Amino acid sequence: MNTTHDRYPVPQGFAGPQTVTQEQYEDLYQASITDADAFWAKAAERVDWYRAPTQIQDTCLTNADEFHIRWYADGELNVSVNCLDRHLEKRGDKAALIWESDDPAIPSQRVTYRELHAKVCKMGNALRRLGIARGDRVTIYMPMIVETIVAMLACARIGAVHNVVFGGFAPASIADRVRNCGASAIITADEGRRAGRKIALKANVDAALEMPGMEGVRSVLVVPNTGTPVNMVAERDYWLDRLMERESAECEPERMNAEDPLFILYTSGSTGKPKGMLHTTGGYLVYAAYTHAAIFDIRDSDVFWCTADVGWITGHSYIAYGPLANGATSLIFEGVPSYPDASRFWQVIDKHDVTIFYTAPTAIRALMREGPEPVLRTSRKSLRLLGTVGEPINPEAWRWYHGVVGAGRCPIVDTWWQTETGGILISPLPGATECKPGAASVPFFGIRPALVDVASGTLIEGPGEGNLFIRGSWPGQARSIYGDDRRYYESCFKDYPGMYFTGDSCRRDADGHYWITGRVDDVLNVSGHRIGTAELESALVSHPKVAEAAAVGFAHDIKGQGIYVYVTLKAGHAESDSLRQELVAHMRREIGPIATPDHLQWAPSLPKTRSGKIMRRILRKIAENTVDDLGDITTLADPSVVQALVRERRMA
Ligand code: ATP
Ligand code: MG
């Protein structure tokens, strides 16, 4: 197969006071592996502790009965103190958050560390006054506004465990999550804004509360965001601004144990039913802060913009906790990339002099579809580093991101990680790693990836491709699936004792760099050859007329599995039989005859999760014509996309 690739060296002069150089990376990585306890003890010094930990790692990953993951177990700290109080002296007037609305006409907000501290204290006091205490679960169902971050930090301040539910979910999905984590309060807003539309958040919460098993929710706190009138139930619903007005701007933080829960977050549900991953206090904060500082090479003057929603782990670790623990300025954006037009991201970068921009391949592909003009009409001269997360990035999209968005100046960190991992595990370091489009590259300090050969079940040494595991533990690792230790152990640790199974398939090249090739469940086996979805899709996306593609397998009498691809064309190109043949020939050329698709279906758009990932599980069912049983589709962003593909399939 075609595994040649272009290389992008570390740009000359990419060096700040904290930049990790290649030499330092090698040394630190070796140190982190040879004496992990010493390494992570040192790393913990970036956090302020009431009581510094003397115990570093305490884990058992090898048997179901004793399974546990603990880090810094005798340490005591408070996350909100680390994100706020400790910055007040030196950075009190620095912007902690810059908020940019969905609607460019609404003025942006700049919230200093001092102001954020006061807001968090007031909200913390208000929550306490309602009887919410340490250990209680609080669901946060909010738009992307400043109060959302305030709510997370207020929970952390009083020791309540937050559960952020993405503001695009419907009532039944809210109810599922609230019940599963046993939340006694919900923090929401009257409405959210998205692409010029209003989203009835409070009405969705009301509908969720009508569902069975929701009696545990005693209070609903509502932020007046758009000012629209909403139904308020006496003794249950409260306007949060009115409660906060009465409270003091000082709030005594809870002294938390490192292993006390910080939050529960449900995975985005690409593969099936979402799981409530439990993250705790000390290890998570150390890991989020350290990865954020090193991988994004944070400098005091940076304006860091992560476009994820705070309802996903990326928003938790790299909008809220990592940046704020590091005293950085974090931009929070309420809108979408395409509203009012496809230039919006780049305009926001110019408006706020964003230096580091972190987004998802799905957004890059969508914007690439619009051509370079919406990008080129902006300056983007403030940018110095780009990042991506969420799916494998097709090399073609990588090159566009690098060449057009970053004007060839900015390195790209392709960060591979999961809700379960708490922070980034595999990524280039911008001052240390030569980038290859499509490669997540090198493991972060303390991370030991392992590849297991699928046929033999044995470990692969050197270059090769197999299922990706991580040996041992790291501080940011999820401690459990909430309320179900056994499910966590059985799904992720049972098969290979001592290693965490990621569910992803991966290739290691001759330089020891890692390339995620797709999810294990999605890998195709064609005539005995295993082919990852990323490779097939990237070959299609490298054709100039293709905007986006998805590849799945289906049962095939001769080959075992055949290849079924879905193709979305760029604007201005028409579907035709000759183009179909051209694309088939293109895939044979790019990868080889083994990659000849058996079916190519045109797809006006692809089914995606609400976080923007292609849901191949559903595409497989359409390919196999077993659409009566689509499984759990509540995490699907737009069900009508599926209906359209099913109709097309039936007609074909
Ligand atoms: P579920 O676990 O419920 O199916 P999910 O896996 O989509 O949902 P997340 O934890 O948000 O939920 O996503 C993690 C997954 O996203 C990874 O396992 C991987 O498949 C993919 N991913 C994330 N970042 C990258 C990246 N840089 N390159 C390739 N794949 C990535
Ligand atoms: Mg997953």
Side-chain angles (χ1 to χ4, degrees):
M1 282 180 202
N2 181 2
T3 52
T4 55
H5 34 68
D6 36 347
R7 291 161 182 263
Y8 293 74
V10 173
Q12 292 266 317
F14 192 92
Q18 315 279 341
T19 306
V20 180
T21 63
Q22 178 162 14
E23 213 164 70
Q24 287 166 336
Y25 169 77
E26 304 289 344
D27 290 349
L28 277 171
Y29 184 74
Q30 278 316 319
S32 73
I33 300 302
T34 27
D35 192 350
D37 269 19
F39 182 86
W40 288 117
K42 177 101 180 63
E45 291 171 8
R46 67 177 54 243
V47 158
D48 283 1
W49 302 83
Y50 295 118
R51 181 183 169 188
T54 62
Q55 299 163 17
I56 306 305
Q57 178 176 180
D58 168 13
T59 54
C60 171
L61 309 177
T62 48
N63 81 70
D65 296 328
E66 284 154 56
F67 174 79
H68 66 265
I69 299 170
R70 292 182 204 124
W71 282 86
Y72 309 124
D74 63 346
E76 289 176 357
L77 75 164
N78 182 285
V79 166
S80 82
V81 169
N82 273 281
C83 291
L84 301 167
D85 307 47
R86 68 165 172 163
H87 303 313
L88 294 183
E89 199 184 318
K90 279 201 193 129
R91 300 192 175 97
D93 297 320
K94 178 176 174 174
L97 299 175
I98 294 172
W99 177 77
E100 177 65 33
S101 174
D102 179 55
D103 177 353
I106 295 178
S108 43
Q109 294 169 15
R110 182 177 177 277
V111 184
T112 65
Y113 272 95
R114 204 180 315 285
E115 289 162 344
L116 189 60
H117 176 264
K119 284 177 194 279
V120 167
C121 285
K122 289 182 177 198
M123 199 185 291
N125 289 331
L127 295 176
R128 271 193 181 135
R129 202 175 295 277
L130 285 170
I132 298 163
R134 184 181 180 123
D136 290 347
R137 273 82 62 216
V138 175
T139 290
I140 298 177
Y141 178 68
M142 291 276 273
M144 288 286 285
I145 55 177
V146 169
E147 285 79 0
T148 312
I149 309 290
V150 175
M152 293 164 75
L153 291 169
C155 288
R157 193 154 193 98
I158 66 164
V161 182
H162 63 69
N163 161 233
V164 183
V165 174
F166 171 57
F169 276 123
S173 302
I174 307 170
D176 268 350
R177 288 161 178 74
V178 166
R179 274 191 298 255
N180 186 277
C181 74
S184 59
I186 300 178
I187 305 178
T188 189
D190 48 6
E191 288 181 318
R193 290 186 193 88
R194 207 175 151 80
R197 286 172 291 109
K198 301 277 171 65
I199 297 156
L201 298 174
K202 175 62 166 63
N204 284 348
V205 168
D206 289 342
L209 287 170
E210 296 289 306
M211 296 179 175
M214 295 292 283
E215 301 72 24
V217 177
R218 291 191 301 274
S219 354
V220 178
L221 296 103
V222 189
V223 174
N225 185 39
T226 62
T228 196
V230 293
N231 169 45
M232 296 293 277
V233 175
E235 320 251 305
R236 185 195 78 182
D237 300 354
Y238 305 90
W239 289 108
L240 198 46
D241 57 333
R242 291 193 203 149
L243 297 184
M244 283 167 66
E245 257 165 33
R246 297 184 210 132
E247 298 293 344
S248 138
E250 293 296 329
C251 170
E252 186 59 26
E254 283 290 317
R255 199 173 159 129
M256 305 302 287
N257 179 270
E259 282 301 334
D260 282 332
L262 177 63
F263 64 86
I264 298 160
L265 181 65
Y266 293 82
T267 56
S268 60
S270 304
T271 51
K273 232 184 162 28
K275 315 166 275 270
M277 302 316 303
L278 175 72
H279 284 280
T280 57
T281 302
Y284 171 79
L285 189 68
V286 169
Y287 198 75
Y290 193 8
T291 49
H292 179 256
I295 294 167
F296 296 105
D297 181 45
I298 292 302
R299 306 175 191 175
D300 209 26
S301 54
D302 275 324
V303 176
F304 179 82
W305 181 14
C306 165
T307 70
D309 193 279
V310 90
W312 314 120
I313 189 70
T314 307
H316 281 56
S317 301
Y318 302 114
I319 294 177
Y321 293 119
L324 297 177
N326 289 330
T329 298
S330 182
L331 191 144
I332 159 165
F333 178 49
E334 189 186 32
V336 301
S338 53
Y339 178 82
D341 61 50
S343 200
R344 180 74 167 135
F345 268 180
W346 327 122
Q347 284 162 2
V348 173
I349 288 174
D350 283 353
K351 179 170 175 190
H352 298 291
D353 287 323
V354 171
T355 55
I356 307 173
F357 179 68
Y358 187 33
T359 194
T362 182
I364 298 168
R365 290 190 303 258
L367 293 168
M368 195 166 98
R369 221 176 149 170
E370 308 293 326
E373 193 278 329
V375 188
L376 296 178
R377 79 170 107 108
T378 62
S379 145
R380 291 154 288 106
K381 70 173 188 309
S382 54
L383 284 176
R384 65 177 189 87
L385 178 60
L386 301 171
T388 106
V389 60
E391 289 181 296
I393 181 164
N394 316 106
E396 200 56 33
W398 194 104
R399 287 185 204 105
W400 187 85
Y401 195 30
H402 185 267
V404 179
V405 175
R409 289 183 294 110
C410 309
I412 298 178
V413 290
D414 176 356
T415 64
W416 175 84
W417 60 298
Q418 312 177 304
T419 311
E420 294 87 336
T421 70
I424 298 163
L425 297 197
I426 304 181
S427 168
L429 293 188
T433 321
E434 179 183 62
C435 291
K436 301 169 192 167
S441 302
V442 296
F444 191 67
F445 307 129
I447 303 304
R448 290 178 292 155
L451 300 183
V452 172
D453 181 69
V454 179
S456 65
T458 55
L459 280 175
I460 299 170
E461 302 292 337
E465 182 166 344
N467 290 351
L468 177 64
F469 286 72
I470 312 293
R471 262 179 229 273
S473 183
W474 61 96
Q477 184 168 33
R479 303 305 192 246
S480 188
I481 294 176
Y482 185 65
D484 204 347
D485 282 351
R486 195 160 275 268
R487 179 174 166 209
Y488 189 39
Y489 174 79
E490 295 199 335
S491 54
C492 300
F493 299 92
K494 191 165 149 228
D495 295 343
Y496 289 88
M499 301 205 293
Y500 163 71
F501 176 44
T502 66
D504 285 343
S505 171
C506 183
R507 181 171 84 234
R508 183 165 47 218
D509 69 18
D511 300 327
H513 286 201
Y514 292 85
W515 302 66
I516 305 298
T517 52
R519 290 166 191 269
V520 165
D521 297 344
D522 296 335
V523 169
L524 285 77
N525 193 328
V526 182
S527 309
H529 297 276
R530 294 173 51 80
I531 312 181
T533 49
E535 187 163 24
L536 295 166
E537 292 161 9
S538 292
L540 282 163
V541 172
S542 74
H543 188 280
K545 293 182 183 162
V546 174
E548 194 156 45
V552 297
F554 68 99
H556 188 287
D557 288 344
I558 300 158
K559 301 195 231 176
Q561 267 189 320
I563 302 175
Y564 197 114
V565 298
Y566 297 82
V567 174
T568 308
L569 294 175
K570 283 189 186 154
H573 297 291
E575 304 163 357
S576 70
D577 280 340
S578 66
L579 181 56
R580 187 191 302 267
Q581 280 156 21
E582 189 179 317
L583 292 177
V584 170
H586 178 76
M587 285 187 77
R588 292 172 65 97
R589 213 165 36 240
E590 287 291 303
I591 306 180
I594 185 78
T596 312
D598 298 273
H599 286 282
L600 187 156
Q601 180 172 341
W602 303 115
S605 43
L606 294 169
K608 299 208 176 142
T609 62
R610 286 161 202 270
S611 57
K613 301 177 192 211
I614 299 171
M615 269 172 112
R616 294 183 196 76
R617 180 170 64 81
I618 288 178
L619 292 172
R620 210 154 45 223
K621 300 238 171 181
I622 298 174
E624 286 179 337
N625 247 326
T626 50
V627 287
D628 302 335
D629 169 29
L630 285 179
D632 183 4
I633 54 163
T634 54
T635 57
L636 193 65
D638 178 3
S640 70
V641 171
V642 176
Q643 303 317 321
L645 291 175
V646 169
R647 260 196 316 276
E648 282 271 326
R649 171 86 172 104
R650 293 233 160 96
M651 276 158 26

